[in-house]
Amino acid sequence: MSDKPWIKIYNEVDSDCILGNKAGLTTLRDAIDYTLDNRIYSVEENFQADFKSIILVDKNWQQPKP
C-alpha cells in the first residue's frame, strides 16, 4: 500500500467505520485539531479522501430544519 495519506469514509465493505492508512489517520487527527481552532479545513489540498472538507458547526445535526 501507498504511504501517501488517505482516508475513506464511504465504502462498500466496512460501511460503519473510517478506513485509512497510518499517515492518513494521523493527518486526519491533525486536521481535526486544526478545524477546532479555525472552523474549516480543506482536505483536498492536504490528503486523499472521499470528502472535501472538515467544518466545525455549532448546531445539532439531529434537529430538523425549521
Side-chain angles (χ1 to χ4, degrees):
M1 289 191 98
S2 172
D3 289 335
K4 181 177 180 181
W6 67 269
I7 296 290
K8 189 168 184 178
I9 291 179
Y10 305 105
N11 61 83
E12 309 78 38
V13 178
D14 296 306
S15 62
D16 59 350
C17 64
I18 297 172
L19 300 177
N21 63 3
K22 185 171 183 172
L25 293 174
T26 301
T27 303
L28 178 60
R29 180 191 61 207
D30 296 343
I32 290 170
D33 288 341
Y34 180 91
T35 305
L36 291 171
D37 291 334
N38 298 285
R39 303 194 66 87
I40 192 165
Y41 180 89
S42 177
V43 171
E44 291 180 312
E45 297 171 8
N46 296 290
F47 62 98
Q48 184 179 357
D50 58 354
F51 56 96
K52 294 182 179 185
S53 59
I54 302 169
I55 302 171
L56 173 64
V57 295
D58 296 323
K59 61 185 175 185
N60 183 341
W61 68 273
Q62 294 178 320
Q63 287 181 330
K65 292 182 181 180

